[in-house]
Amino acid sequence: MEINIREYEGGKVIAVSGEIDLYSSPLLRKQLMVFVKKKESPLLVDFGGVSYIDSSGIATFVEGLKGVMSFGGRMKMFGIRPAIMEIFSFSKLDKVFEIYGTIDDAADSR
Amino acid sequence: MTDDPTITVSEKYLHDIKRKLSDYETLIDVSSIISSTLKLDDLMNLVMEKAKQELDAEACSILFYNRDTDKLEFEVALCAEDCASDILKKKIVLDMGQGIAGWVAANMKPLVINDVGSDPRFFADADKMTGFTTKSIIAVPLIGRGGLIGVAELINPRKKDYDIEVFNILCGQFAIAIENALFHREVVEQEKLKQELDIAAALQKSFLPELPVFGKGNVLVSAVNIPAEQVGGDLYDFIVPSDDKIGVFIGDVSGKGVSGALYMAKIISDFRFIALQSDSPEIAFNRLNAMLANAPRGMFLTAVYIIADVNTGELKVSVAGHPPFLRIGNDGVYVEDMAGAPPIGILPVEYPMTVIHLNKGDRLLLFTDGVYEAKNRDSKRIGFDAFVDFVSTNKDEENLIKAVTDYVENFSEGVARADDITLLEVKWLG
């Protein structure tokens, strides 16, 4: 798994790629918690490079989301591949996370 | 000619012999230190303390090479001030080629610099942060069997009369000892982890029903749970909420290992308490969701809870973010992807409930994602659709659960199981 941070229209974009699992999720958690602590919002998550996510990975995003929501912020995901989207829709997590097609859709949403 | 075998040697010769003797003594001392412990911290502190003492150095440090980041990190720093050591360990990371240690690591060659001020390679930031003044430095690469381990540095050695070759030999021995200690640490940690996972597996098992088969009236339920190497946190349960009802519960906790097993234990006790007081599954899920609202580390539970009327075949079903289950009838296999809500423990939501009816001979097959996400040697997963196809083709098997587990195990033969596999079959005998 790799994490890259970039700026987009004044917000932070966290781009994750590879497999997010039990072994890689602690690194992701560390990064998300830094943003939660700094009260970054909206936090845009680029899922384009994610090839697999297990329940530990999803739990990490749930923790991040709860953290962002605690200060009234938002976390928006975009670019989720169909295979990953299946996991999100099977588990009804598409009702938990804000999910968009592209970064512009995510950034423009109110 | 005289019989007296006196030979005359120069002062320098005597001095050199004495120095060589002292070098050998040091080599022997360090060898015995090296073979005295397999504890990495003890080993590094003892060897560096000895080296510091031998060369009368003000400070010394070891930087480890991190292969993942391709950078050097301070592992040990022995200085007069503890705080300087803390600053080095916590704040300073060098790129390959950066500073004297970075140069030594990149070139895998020792370096002796008597005046760092005149050497452009010197990285002055470390001194600025620690308040220490580096004047001279001896830096030697630590190279083990597997390549670069790191760099050992002695700062401000007051003894100038030393042999860099001896220091090199020492560092060679030291590098191998570090490698052995690292290997030992890894073995010990693996053993500890294995023990913890054994405990987690036993803990998980102790919370599951004693017998994997449970029947009441016209309903017969059978289950199988195969824990993963890392123990995945799957759970299932059979409950009798009232005389004419049977409750069938399957779930998957998001964590793995000890944390997953502990959380699974909490969930199953909370669930049993709630389920005995709830005659409809959505009520049980709403209550459980409220109880697990402050789950640690974003942990959550996906689950299906079915309450079956053992006389009529009417089933009340609630789904919390769990994969769909299969209904197997005489005419085919159907994916029951009914209205559900997100997993338990994430958000305050109201769980929906759906009523379905079973006809004679109907069966339900409930499972966790470990079943269809099993990987083979080529890292290919079974996939949900292929799994449904398998069940459709083999639906008339006498023991369907066994056929499915055999299929999953054959598919992932030779691959460590990454997630638990749990299957529940609910048969309507009416």
Side-chain angles (χ1 to χ4, degrees), chain A:
Chain A
M1 186 198 70
E2 257 188 55
I3 297 175
N4 284 296
I5 310 295
R6 60 178 199 269
E7 300 266 339
Y8 186 81
E9 293 184 357
K12 292 275 184 219
V13 181
I14 171 163
V16 194
S17 56
E19 301 206 338
I20 313 175
D21 57 18
L22 184 67
Y23 305 101
S24 56
S25 54
L27 187 67
L28 173 67
R29 178 177 186 271
K30 209 168 153 188
Q31 188 57 62
L32 283 175
M33 290 306 121
V34 168
F35 286 148
V36 168
K37 212 170 167 189
K38 286 187 185 165
K39 301 196 173 173
E40 290 282 355
S41 178
L43 189 55
L44 304 174
V45 185
D46 183 349
F47 253 77
V50 176
S51 54
Y52 175 70
I53 184 163
D54 75 353
S55 61
S56 333
I58 294 173
T60 306
F61 281 113
V62 168
E63 189 183 9
L65 176 71
K66 283 182 170 179
V68 170
M69 282 164 65
S70 70
F71 61 83
R74 285 168 79 180
M75 179 197 274
K76 304 174 183 182
M77 298 172 166
F78 66 93
I80 303 178
R81 293 183 192 177
I84 306 291
M85 199 56 219
E86 193 177 60
I87 297 174
F88 277 82
S89 53
F90 260 12
S91 49
K92 313 288 185 237
L93 285 161
D94 48 0
K95 295 180 182 173
V96 173
F97 295 108
E98 286 190 55
I99 296 173
Y100 301 89
T102 64
I103 189 166
D104 288 319
D105 296 343
D108 293 347
S109 72
R110 297 280 159 214

Side-chain angles (χ1 to χ4, degrees), chain A residues 92 95, chain B residues 318-321 337-342 350-352 354:
Chain A
K92 313 288 185 237
K95 295 180 182 173
Chain B
S318 278
V319 180
D337 190 9
M338 51 190 53
E350 290 289 321
Y351 284 90
T354 308

Side-chain angles (χ1 to χ4, degrees), chain B residues 261-290:
Chain B
L262 280 174
Y263 201 51
M264 172 262 189
K266 172 185 162 47
I267 287 173
I268 212 155
S269 17
D270 286 355
F271 172 75
R272 279 176 188 162
F273 175 72
I274 290 167
L276 288 172
Q277 302 168 19
S278 316
D279 56 5
S280 201
E282 79 283 10
I283 298 171
F285 273 5
N286 288 339
R287 287 184 185 164
L288 193 60
N289 192 40

Side-chain angles (χ1 to χ4, degrees), chain B residues 109-124:
Chain B
K109 282 182 189 155
L111 205 55
V112 178
I113 297 173
N114 293 319
D115 175 20
V116 293
S118 62
D119 195 300
R121 288 171 292 200
F122 179 62
F123 176 68

Side-chain angles (χ1 to χ4, degrees), chain B residues 232-245:
Chain B
D234 278 9
L235 60 160
Y236 69 88
D237 206 7
F238 315 129
I239 298 265
V240 182
S242 60
D243 275 350
D244 55 348
K245 301 274 186 340

